Amino acid sequence: MGRESAGIACVVLFTLSTALRDVYLGAVFQAHSPFVVNLLAFGAATIVFGLWVLLRRRREIHLMLAAPGDLALACNATSLAWGCYFQALALLPPATVNTLHTGIGPLAVVAFMLLGMRVPTAKALSAPEMAAQAAVLAALAFIAGTVVADRPDLLWQQIGGLALALVSGILIAMHGVASRRLNERGISPAALMAVRFLPLLLVSAVALTWSPNTGHASPSVAEYAEIAVIVALLVTVPSFVLQVGTALGPLLTGRLIVAFGPLLVLALQILEGRLAFSGPGLVGTLFYALTAATAIVASELTRRDLGSFRLYVTLPRVR
């Protein structure tokens, strides 16, 4: 298998594992406390990567301490993002949460640029790109409208879930910008994985200590182990394979595959059978995928090198 084929395979694996993650977690969070799952999943990932850094990358600890502002932003933003994302999964269907979280990220990066925030590798958007991003925003608004219209009896729960999903996407975009700046200092993704979840673990531990009765079922020891292993894999594997895929594969192909990821989440959600099929939800997800793909192609056509048709300037990845 060639490098580009391996890269495409990694991006496909990322999209599939992300879809499995969201559908699985959607069921888990409606049965168990998100705080418990946070400790199980992110605690395991923090220990594994923390040991790796202590044994093999100790120099990067000093590099991180030399950039306290970006480090604090990266850690707090990603912790809050995952906390919001997991809470949203307890309130809304996985496909809706995934679409809103994925779709708002690039729009948030554009907003950061307009507000004067330094975004590594990003440049001002052209008029076609802005139009395409406006279409993505319209698709997200359509999805939000279908969610509210579908269950007016749960209006405030639906609004809360929508807000959490959108906030999670904005925060993870903020984390992506801060992480890029830390990468420029020579700090590896593995080192960031060792510290990025510490605020979330602290908040979860305090929440469970303060109020251990969360109203959810208490998992057995076997369930604890199962949740810890599955969630840790479904959270860490997608991030790793996406990095490999973007390094090896064609950038345009990879971004287009990711754009259609919410459709895969919706398909798995339907196959799982736990939630009723929604026609407007399918239309909204398809609308988003098409507009997101259009925005990616517009970016490619605007910024491409005519000799190679490869994107040389792109907004930071936010997943």
Side-chain angles (χ1 to χ4, degrees), residues 227-249:
I227 292 172
V229 172
I230 293 177
V231 176
L233 289 175
L234 291 178
V235 168
T236 56
V237 170
S239 299
F240 175 73
V241 296
L242 180 61
Q243 290 177 12
V244 175
T246 53
L248 299 179

Side-chain angles (χ1 to χ4, degrees), residues 166-183:
L166 291 171
V167 168
S168 72
I170 295 171
L171 288 170
I172 210 68
M174 195 175 295
H175 160 78
V177 172
S179 295
R180 278 294 182 91
R181 296 205 291 245
L182 291 169
N183 294 154

Side-chain angles (χ1 to χ4, degrees), residues 3-126:
R3 285 174 56 86
E4 290 198 349
S5 297
I8 293 174
C10 284
V11 176
V12 171
L13 178 58
F14 160 77
T15 306
L16 178 60
S17 59
T18 298
L20 289 171
R21 178 197 70 198
D22 290 350
V23 174
Y24 174 78
L25 291 181
V28 167
F29 287 136
Q30 292 184 16
H32 305 295
S33 167
F35 297 123
V36 172
V37 180
N38 289 342
L39 290 175
L40 292 174
F42 296 123
T46 299
I47 291 172
V48 170
F49 284 98
L51 289 174
W52 170 262
V53 171
L54 286 173
L55 294 174
R56 303 295 297 271
R57 303 269 185 173
R58 192 169 299 178
R59 183 183 68 89
E60 295 186 27
I61 297 176
H62 301 288
L63 295 177
M64 287 189 287
L65 293 177
D70 282 336
L71 182 63
L73 178 59
C75 292
N76 288 310
T78 193
S79 292
L80 287 171
W82 281 107
C84 292
Y85 192 78
F86 286 174
Q87 292 288 348
L89 284 172
L91 301 174
L92 298 177
T96 301
V97 177
N98 181 279
T99 305
L100 295 174
H101 172 90
T102 302
I104 199 64
L107 295 173
V109 174
V110 174
F112 298 158
M113 294 164 57
L114 295 176
L115 292 173
M117 187 175 183
R118 188 177 76 82
V119 179
T121 75
K123 291 186 177 179
L125 300 182
S126 65

Side-chain angles (χ1 to χ4, degrees), residues 133-156:
Q133 293 294 349
V136 172
L137 184 60
L140 297 181
F142 176 83
I143 292 172
T146 61
V147 169
V148 173
D150 185 51
R151 292 295 302 272
D153 55 316
L154 299 175
L155 177 63
W156 292 111

